[in-house]
Amino acid sequence: MKALYNTEDWRVLKERMAQSADKRVTVSFYKYWNIENTQLFRDYLFTHWSELGVFGRTYVASEGINAQISVPQENLESFIDHLYSISFLDGVRLNYAIEDDGKSFYKLIIKIRAKIVADGLNDETFDASNTGVHLSAEEFNKLTDQEDTILVDMRNHYESEVGHFRGAITPDVDTFREEIALVEDMLADKKDQNIVMYCTGGIRCEKASAWLKHQGFNNVHQLNGGIIEYARQVKEQGLENKFRGKNFVFDERLAESISDEVISNCHQCGEPCDSHINCRNELCHLLFIQCEKCADKFGKCCSHECRDFADLPEEERRKVRKGVKFTKQDFHKGRSPRLKFRPLNASGDSCSMGD
């Protein structure tokens, strides 16, 4: 029987991808749908996608599917044919990466989750399919030009820090679960105003807009296809681009440029910079913003301590690992006290307005 999970060392797979010259296409999609047998569906996808050489990260839950993947260019048509042969995914919108070097993922991971987006909502009367009005890029621009429109970024602080729409409220949160509650409370007295929400590809707004409608908000809208689709439409139709900076993405690229503006700063020296990096010390792995000068100074690490440890030979790192007091910082996302120039709103304000 064919293995239904990866068994090779991730470091080997990552290096193989780095050296590969194969052309690949990065694509994402999601669909809210009642999936009765998630294990069977998950294994079915893994079997077929493995044969097509698909890499990436996919979550399957009883409420639907959320996928960010890369496909060999030569197999893209076959992949789409297979995807659309699944009844509830027939014709599902595919969001193609704006900047794509083909190295966004290096292995296939398909996991079963309680939800495809963790939201903290527990209301059996909530209908997630009753979403807000979907806006094209042109409609989005027109509606957000109106002074009484409220524009909300439904992403986390480290995403909006490097890029967001002009005039957007950018809540200072670490998770979607936090944000959906904060936004509901923040807009409680604005239930009759035009509210527009956006996120990376649309999946978080799909849930958030439906939740606000469930809570009695009357004029809820969402950017159809998120920032990714907006950027494509703006380019194709010659529209005004109202997005500033980069769009953060959850793969090896970490971001793609939507405009030429740099709106954030290196977390170590404070110089203008919008390049995220994970600390090279795997016992830390902190996500933060680092310029080229600091990358050279700190050896692509968040501190001298991490640099010195990461520079040790592998055998020596194993020997001293138990005595080294590094705190795994995957979820600090740029808030570590090791960083001198952290986001200005990281220690207090609940949200900020983009200019």
Side-chain angles (χ1 to χ4, degrees), residues 3 8-9 11 20 24 42-43 45-46 49 61 63 80 84 109 113 141 169 174 183 194 219 236 286 308 314 319 354:
E8 289 190 79
D9 188 294
R11 287 163 290 196
S20 174
R24 303 181 67 88
R42 180 263 171 212
D43 293 348
L45 292 181
F46 195 94
W49 289 5
E63 69 171 4
I80 294 175
Y84 286 1
I109 300 174
R113 290 284 180 86
N141 281 359
I169 297 173
D174 292 309
V183 169
N194 281 323
N219 297 296
E236 289 184 354
L286 175 71
D308 293 344
E314 175 65 24
K319 290 179 181 179

Side-chain angles (χ1 to χ4, degrees), residues 130-278:
N130 184 23
T131 63
V133 177
H134 289 69
L135 302 174
S136 66
E138 183 177 10
E139 292 168 332
F140 175 90
N141 281 359
K142 287 180 179 178
L143 188 55
T144 55
D145 278 342
Q146 298 181 18
E147 290 186 6
D148 61 342
T149 296
I150 301 171
L151 179 59
V152 185
D153 190 322
M154 292 305 298
R155 302 171 304 152
N156 303 323
H157 75 89
Y158 55 91
E159 298 174 77
S160 60
E161 182 183 1
V162 295
H164 54 253
F165 281 102
R166 293 199 303 269
I169 297 173
T170 56
D172 181 32
V173 295
D174 292 309
T175 66
F176 178 64
R177 179 195 300 260
E178 292 176 65
E179 179 161 24
I180 199 167
L182 184 149
V183 169
E184 179 190 347
D185 182 64
M186 181 175 57
L187 303 180
D189 61 345
K190 298 175 175 59
K191 290 191 174 182
D192 292 321
Q193 281 188 240
N194 281 323
I195 296 170
V196 178
M197 316 173 95
Y198 71 89
C199 56
T200 306
I203 187 171
R204 285 174 278 189
C205 292
E206 199 85 3
K207 180 71 68 73
S209 68
W211 179 253
L212 287 191
K213 289 185 67 177
H214 183 65
Q215 297 302 315
F217 289 80
N218 298 310
N219 297 296
V220 185
H221 308 75
Q222 65 185 88
L223 180 57
N224 193 26
I227 299 165
I228 297 174
E229 178 63 13
Y230 175 87
R232 186 188 69 79
Q233 291 183 21
V234 162
K235 184 176 181 180
E236 289 184 354
Q237 300 173 30
L239 303 174
E240 177 191 2
N241 180 10
K242 301 180 74 172
F243 192 89
R244 306 178 61 215
K246 284 184 174 180
N247 178 33
F248 185 95
V249 292
F250 294 88
D251 59 52
E252 293 296 305
R253 297 170 298 151
L254 290 178
E256 50 189 11
S257 295
I258 307 299
S259 80
D260 295 330
E261 290 182 83
V262 176
I263 66 170
S264 52
N265 303 85
C266 173
H267 287 168
Q268 290 174 311
C269 72
E271 289 297 310
C273 178
D274 56 9
S275 298
H276 273 104
I277 188 173
N278 283 110

Side-chain angles (χ1 to χ4, degrees), residues 74-124:
E74 62 182 8
N75 292 340
L76 182 60
E77 186 174 341
S78 297
F79 168 78
I80 294 175
D81 288 343
H82 170 260
L83 188 68
Y84 286 1
S85 72
I86 301 170
S87 58
F88 79 92
L89 293 175
D90 186 15
V92 68
R93 185 188 63 246
L94 301 177
N95 284 331
Y96 293 92
I98 305 301
E99 294 183 333
D100 193 2
D101 61 1
K103 302 184 185 300
S104 50
F105 298 100
Y106 54 87
K107 64 179 178 179
L108 177 60
I109 300 174
I110 305 180
K111 293 184 177 181
I112 296 174
R113 290 284 180 86
K115 294 187 177 183
I116 54 176
V117 177
D119 53 36
L121 304 177
N122 296 292
D123 185 341
E124 294 182 359

Side-chain angles (χ1 to χ4, degrees), residues 331-345:
F331 303 107
H332 284 218
K333 309 294 188 186
R335 297 193 191 280
S336 170
R338 298 175 187 174
L339 303 173
K340 183 177 180 181
F341 294 90
R342 289 173 288 170
L344 294 177
N345 62 344

